Amino acid sequence: AGTLLRLGGPLPTPAGGACARPIPLACSAAPTTYRGSTAGRPAAVAGYGCAGARLDAGPEATYRLDSPVTGAVTVRLRPHEADLDLVAVGAAPGGGCDATDRCLAASQGVGLAEETVIFPVSRGGTYFVIVDGPTGAASGYTLTVSCAKE
């Protein structure tokens, strides 16, 4: 008596699409610091459209930023125990992250080096910042975020 729909992939997560359980992210001119860990988080995304050939098959922590400004966002990542990478992506038309077609910036250094991405934002736009690791790497980290208006 109704319509049966069949989905061609995993169910999206609330407000995140392919990016599981995004954590709200705020930014202002003064840097804001977040501490977290990728340990125990899902490994939903393995590759990014603007990243290098190295796959990030580890668990990821995803942050969602609803931008308060038009300008640029700078994000710095300092991994604590293992190699982690940093990626920024835009939102798909449905509001979830689009790691392939809307990849904005990626930093995939080797080892415990600090990773930095800078990407343009528009006021009211939705963006995702993803902390991910290669080959299943998981680690605690410190993330520092700041926004600069045009």
Side-chain angles (χ1 to χ4, degrees), residues 45-56 87-89 98-106 108 130:
V45 181
Y48 301 92
C50 62
R54 179 169 87 170
L55 291 179
D56 283 315
V87 181
V89 303
D98 184 342
T100 304
D101 296 330
R102 298 186 192 279
C103 192
L104 301 170
Q108 295 179 302
I130 304 162

Side-chain angles (χ1 to χ4, degrees), residues 20-21 37-43 58-61 136-140:
R21 301 184 317 227
S37 177
T38 58
R41 301 212 32 111
E60 62 260 357
S139 174

Side-chain angles (χ1 to χ4, degrees), residues 50 52 71 91 107 143:
C50 62
S107 180
L143 198 66

Side-chain angles (χ1 to χ4, degrees), residues 63-149:
Y63 293 83
R64 178 186 168 125
L65 170 67
D66 294 311
S67 181
V69 299
T70 294
V73 173
T74 301
V75 182
R76 288 183 169 72
L77 168 70
R78 194 183 87 228
H80 296 173
E81 299 94 24
D83 184 11
L84 294 177
D85 295 331
L86 184 60
V87 181
V89 303
C97 82
D98 184 342
T100 304
D101 296 330
R102 298 186 192 279
C103 192
L104 301 170
S107 180
Q108 295 179 302
V110 177
L112 298 179
E114 181 177 277
E115 307 284 354
T116 301
V117 295
I118 301 170
F119 58 98
V121 295
S122 296
R123 182 179 180 156
T126 299
Y127 305 89
F128 295 87
V129 174
I130 304 162
V131 178
D132 205 340
T135 319
S139 174
Y141 59 85
T142 302
L143 198 66
T144 306
V145 182
S146 60
C147 287
K149 283 198 247 183

